[in-house]
Amino acid sequence: MDNATRSERSRNAALEAAIAIIARDGPGRLTLDAIARESGLSKGGVMHQFRTKEAVLKALLDRQMAHFEEFSNDYHAKVGATSVNPELATQLATVREAASAPNSAALALVAAMVENPELMSLPREREMKRVEAIKAEAADPDLALLRWAAARGLLLSGLFGMSPLSKAEHDRLFARLLDDKQWTGLEQPADPRSAKSGAAKAATPRKRS
């Protein structure tokens, strides 16, 4: 085994150990010593990969973001030509994927936020861009955002163990959120007042000079 492969295996072992510790003991118990014990690596081996606990959390965050970014790109490529709202459909499907993933993996994101809120700036910026894309394509931006927010609520309530819903109910609700036909009858113009104002102006004859 060459050095690069050995190093990559050690890095992955350390990250998997970190997720196990976070899921079992909480982010406050995550230390480099704990990672070494959990992974079977030496303390020096762990520090060769990550000099600090914050570096571990950032790596966990980056790995989760990369995973869901890849999922989003693949899903968007599938629905881009057929969906009325491909950006919304992609984000709803991505949230559903996150909700169906093991909580131990999703907890990595929570740990990063709890331990160092500044680490969340990058995912927050990406979410802002996605929200703008969702609004830009929607006939009714508010309704689209309600669907997006509902999906995230299902994810977070399940993640924190607060959801009283069964898995079947979760799956059924996500399927309904993803089904555009369930929502088209509820759509309203993006800004009814602006639309009426524009129509009134168009109907008003211009004064001749």
Side-chain angles (χ1 to χ4, degrees):
M1 184 187 303
D2 59 35
N3 290 337
T5 302
R6 187 180 298 109
S7 179
E8 184 66 18
R9 287 192 176 184
S10 295
R11 179 181 177 85
N12 288 334
L15 291 177
E16 290 301 324
I19 289 176
I21 294 165
I22 292 168
R24 184 182 64 239
D25 305 325
R29 296 294 183 89
L30 183 66
T31 65
L32 297 184
D33 286 321
I35 292 173
R37 288 193 299 270
E38 186 78 25
S39 65
L41 300 171
S42 66
K43 175 73 173 294
V46 174
M47 294 191 68
H48 179 72
Q49 301 294 332
F50 305 104
R51 299 296 298 177
T52 64
K53 174 181 175 177
E54 286 69 27
V56 176
L57 290 172
K58 185 177 185 305
L60 287 173
L61 182 60
D62 289 343
R63 190 166 78 162
Q64 288 298 100
M65 288 175 60
H67 168 73
F68 289 114
E69 190 72 18
E70 181 179 1
F71 178 91
S72 295
N73 291 338
D74 290 344
Y75 193 90
H76 194 280
K78 294 177 182 177
V79 302
T82 58
S83 175
V84 177
N85 301 296
E87 294 292 341
L88 175 60
T90 297
Q91 294 313 309
L92 292 176
T94 302
V95 173
R96 181 178 61 179
E97 173 70 9
S100 65
N103 281 358
S104 58
L107 279 169
L109 300 180
V110 178
M113 180 176 64
V114 170
E115 291 296 308
N116 188 349
E118 292 181 1
L119 289 177
M120 298 305 292
S121 61
L122 180 56
R124 189 181 300 116
E125 289 171 6
R126 291 189 180 183
E127 284 300 298
M128 290 174 64
K129 291 179 181 178
R130 287 165 181 156
V131 165
E132 290 304 315
I134 289 171
K135 291 192 293 185
E137 72 180 4
D140 185 342
D142 285 348
L143 184 61
L145 290 181
L146 281 172
R147 291 166 66 185
W148 172 83
R152 293 180 68 84
L154 288 172
L155 167 64
L156 292 175
S157 64
L159 178 62
F160 289 109
M162 299 170 59
S163 176
L165 304 177
S166 67
K167 182 181 184 304
E169 288 171 319
H170 267 259
D171 292 344
R172 189 167 65 249
L173 291 176
F174 269 115
R176 189 166 183 177
L177 287 172
L178 273 161
D179 186 0
D180 285 329
K181 294 190 295 294
Q182 299 274 347
W183 305 94
T184 51
L186 300 175
E187 289 179 347
Q188 298 179 3
D191 190 347
R193 289 176 297 179
S194 296
K196 290 180 180 178
S197 175
K201 288 180 180 179
T204 302
R206 295 181 180 180
K207 293 182 179 180
R208 294 183 180 180
S209 56

